Amino acid sequence: MKTNEGKNARRVKRSAALTKEDAEHLKMSVLTEAQRYYDNAKNMLSEKGGKNDDYYTDAKYVKTACGTAYCGVLLVLDGFIRLKGNVLPRQGRKNIDYYLANIGHRDRKLLDYVQTAYHILHLTGYYDGELNCRIIQTGMEQFEKIIRHFDLRC
């Protein structure tokens, strides 16, 4: 039995077209919610992270803040993909490869921001528990850039 898996593997799925009003509403709700995630992560770092020289002192809150910030990044990426249309199909849960594939062929600058945010906020901050303030701050700056970029490009 022959299958067409190879041909269908990269088939692009057209999402339902958004009206201009729906697109603007989606953009504003994504920006509002992303800013809320950013503010929550920033507050957690400043209020509960406990800073001693160039290092945070409480890994639990730093990990939580990084996880919150990364969830905000994913929120923005979902909005970007929805607004740009032509979504590549996914197999099971979304993962970083899904986002990179859907963004990579549309916006190289956003792709660079996302890769940096993924490595710093998700892997280094959330999973590894990095406590260096400068490193975590760089990840938060990438999140800010992603929000600004989304606002300008969508």
Side-chain angles (χ1 to χ4, degrees):
M1 183 177 192
K2 259 187 173 177
T3 63
N4 290 333
E5 287 178 28
K7 290 181 182 178
N8 294 332
R10 299 284 295 167
R11 183 166 286 167
V12 174
K13 175 184 162 189
R14 278 244 183 242
S15 59
L18 294 171
T19 65
K20 189 173 185 176
E21 293 81 25
D22 288 342
E24 190 60 33
H25 181 266
L26 176 62
K27 177 182 175 180
M28 293 312 298
S29 66
V30 166
L31 287 171
T32 302
E33 193 67 8
Q35 190 61 49
R36 194 169 77 94
Y37 276 75
Y38 178 81
D39 292 341
N40 287 344
K42 265 309 221 199
N43 288 338
M44 190 168 301
L45 287 171
S46 65
E47 293 173 9
K48 297 183 179 180
K51 212 171 179 183
N52 185 7
D53 294 326
D54 289 337
Y55 291 89
Y56 292 108
T57 56
D58 197 330
K60 173 187 171 187
Y61 292 110
V62 174
K63 284 183 170 191
T64 303
C66 288
T68 300
Y70 184 67
C71 286
V73 168
L74 297 181
L75 178 85
V76 174
L77 298 181
D78 283 333
F80 180 85
I81 291 167
R82 177 80 171 102
L83 287 171
K84 295 298 182 181
N86 292 341
V87 180
L88 296 174
R90 65 184 169 107
Q91 315 255 315
R93 290 183 179 177
K94 293 182 225 176
N95 60 28
I96 190 64
D97 296 326
Y98 166 81
Y99 290 105
L100 296 179
N102 275 287
I103 292 167
H105 65 280
R106 291 187 179 101
D107 194 323
R108 182 66 190 172
K109 186 178 269 192
L110 180 60
L111 179 67
D112 292 340
Y113 295 154
V114 169
Q115 287 177 323
T116 305
Y118 170 72
H119 285 284
I120 293 174
L121 294 174
H122 188 60
L123 298 178
T124 305
Y126 180 72
Y127 279 115
D128 297 339
E130 177 64 54
L131 297 176
N132 186 303
C133 295
R134 289 186 200 147
I135 293 172
I136 301 303
Q137 184 58 39
T138 300
M140 294 300 290
E141 289 168 1
Q142 293 302 304
F143 184 16
E144 273 185 300
K145 288 178 183 180
I146 290 168
I147 293 171
R148 280 195 311 264
H149 193 81
F150 174 81
D151 189 21
L152 293 173
R153 296 288 174 113
C154 290

